[in-house]
Amino acid sequence: FEFVECQLLRLNLVSVHHLMEIKRRFVELDIDGSGSIDKEELFLVDNPTEDIDFAMEALKSIHREVEELKETREKMPLEEKQRMNEADQAVAREKTRQAALDKTWGRFYRQAWFKCLVTFVLWCFVGVIFYTQWQQWSFWQSLYYSIQAGLAIGYPAPSEDSICGYDSFTGPASSYIFGEGQQYKAFEEGGRGGCMAGDLSKLFTIFLIILGSGIFATSFGIITVAVYNPPGGWYKAVIKEAWLQHLKQEAEKTTGWADDLVIYLKILTSSNVFHACAVFTFWVSIGVLYGCFSEQRMTFLTGLYFAVTSMSTAGLEGLMPLGPMTDGPAGAALERIDDLDNGHFVFIIVYVLIGVPIYGWALSSIVEFCMHSLNEAFIADTLSAQISYDEFSLIDYLGDFNAKGGDGKIDMFEYVECQLLRLNFVSVSQLFDIKRRFLQLDLDSSGSVSRNELVATGSEMESASDHDSIELALKSMESYTKQLQALQASKQSFSPAPNKRSVPAPMPPALAPYGTQGIRPLSPPAPNTHGPSPQPHPFS
């Protein structure tokens, strides 16, 4: 149970708070305090569906596979286990060594960010080659147009139809501009202008946008997970949450408002939404300064409009063909956007490549902050929702594979996994993959994994937290456990009266083949030949 919970936390599929809330709900449903829930303690809803047989067979198949793996390891001779143990150690240590090397700069080519970077450069190269040859744009203008198209910004200038208005054009697209029938009807003739060369350029841009959007989305996702939500970093979140709770308790103890202000400022500045909004504000100000003090000569509001619409990929305000102020009759107006200094294109490229991810980060942080209470309400409603007959029948093949199904009761392990599945936090295949990994680590087949076994298989790593905040996290975990222990003790202090409403209904025909409780009993567990099993933790 502890191993499954640990792996779910390491995979960022669930939080400690949600696990404890599920356990608290289990203790509330366990009326007689026996440590398991039977049908008399649940108000099952709905009738079983006809297709439950297929789901039962699928779960039983996975269950049997795990049982066979367990029995195979139990029957192995000691010498074979030692040989496998040594082989596991060698493989695990080599994997650990290779993983550590892959994180160094010497093997940067194996890291996900480098692969994303190479893919992005190749994508840019394709766009630049096409636009420099077809549209006859400069390198920086071609790169600018490729990136703003891939990010779906859509600045109004330059236009791919501008190629149709050139009187002297010698590029590969010339035959699709000056050839017979290649020019479309002008506005005066009831058309909208343009030519075949512009349409072919747009066709290429369509594929460039579709491919580029996927590359950008994948790259941003990998970077975000690596920086803010790395696998295995759940304990850091627990430490941070405990530290924030400690600060709130310190604020309650202080009497002066100045001390409270300092503490709450610490809490505010440590939040993700504060960091995101601060970086967003800073980057918007960079865009405003560019718009107001560059040759674009925007007003403050226009500069703000340019910065926000660029970062949000709306692209409603782009570059205009303006150059340095002159005394001539045309002022600073340029003939075409192509005549702009390349520095403008370079700035826009850098600005949107950094600004679009910042906007996405800020927006997701604000949404997460605003939706937190609604999400918690949804979780609470799901935990309180009644379990159906189908769920009750399938739950018996979850939980501990050492406890054979068919007893018509739900222990805490089974209940936690059931609720995680109901909340869509995890899948059945992920749960059984974690259990298979547990069997591989359980070298002595005792049903538990010791630290020696983790070290032997190379699965224990040195602690990354040497600061005092780990003590606050441990106290927070102890507080959760004490609350559940107190709730369980209150349940065991009285004998509940029989509940007439919870009398089980007659066995539906669809479940008859699986025994009187809706699930076919399996053979009893094999005897433990490895000495007495350790006593389980009361909430494990």
Side-chain angles (χ1 to χ4, degrees), residues 303-441:
L304 181 63
Y305 181 70
F306 157 77
V308 174
T309 57
S310 297
M311 295 175 66
S312 63
T313 70
L316 301 178
E317 184 72 28
L319 295 174
M320 296 184 65
L322 297 174
M325 291 296 295
T326 63
D327 297 331
L334 301 176
E335 183 178 351
R336 298 183 303 180
I337 194 74
D338 307 33
D339 298 330
L340 270 177
D341 186 83
N342 286 330
H344 294 283
F345 297 120
V346 173
F347 176 83
I348 298 297
I349 291 171
V350 176
Y351 190 76
V352 298
L353 282 178
I354 299 177
V356 171
I358 290 175
Y359 178 82
W361 173 32
L363 186 63
S364 61
S365 300
I366 294 173
V367 171
E368 180 183 1
F369 178 79
C370 297
M371 293 294 292
H372 177 74
S373 59
L374 294 178
N375 186 47
E376 293 299 320
F378 164 75
I379 293 175
D381 293 341
T382 303
L383 295 181
S384 301
Q386 298 295 346
I387 294 177
S388 66
Y389 274 101
D390 289 349
E391 286 181 300
F392 192 92
S393 301
L394 297 174
I395 287 172
D396 241 0
Y397 284 94
L398 300 175
D400 187 2
F401 46 82
N402 292 299
K404 305 297 177 115
D407 58 0
K409 295 182 179 181
I410 304 174
D411 59 24
M412 183 177 284
F413 192 3
E414 294 169 333
Y415 183 81
V416 168
E417 290 191 322
C418 172
Q419 293 293 3
L420 292 176
L421 291 168
R422 299 178 86 197
L423 291 167
N424 297 317
F425 286 168
V426 67
S427 67
V428 173
S429 61
Q430 289 171 329
L431 289 175
F432 279 97
D433 286 341
I434 293 173
K435 294 173 186 178
R436 291 189 187 95
R437 178 57 180 161
F438 175 84
L439 290 176
Q440 295 172 357
L441 295 176

Side-chain angles (χ1 to χ4, degrees), residues 33-81:
S34 62
S36 63
I37 303 174
D38 52 29
K39 289 185 178 181
E40 285 72 21
E41 294 172 300
L42 287 175
F43 301 103
L44 301 182
V45 296
D46 300 332
N47 293 321
T49 59
E50 296 179 358
D51 295 335
I52 190 176
D53 295 350
F54 300 101
M56 292 285 289
E57 287 299 327
L59 275 179
K60 285 190 291 184
S61 175
I62 302 176
H63 200 278
R64 282 195 297 266
E65 180 184 343
V66 177
E67 287 179 342
E68 290 172 359
L69 177 61
K70 178 178 178 293
E71 292 173 358
T72 301
R73 294 186 67 86
E74 287 178 346
K75 294 177 181 178
M76 283 183 183
L78 180 60
E79 294 78 9
E80 180 68 14
K81 288 185 177 180

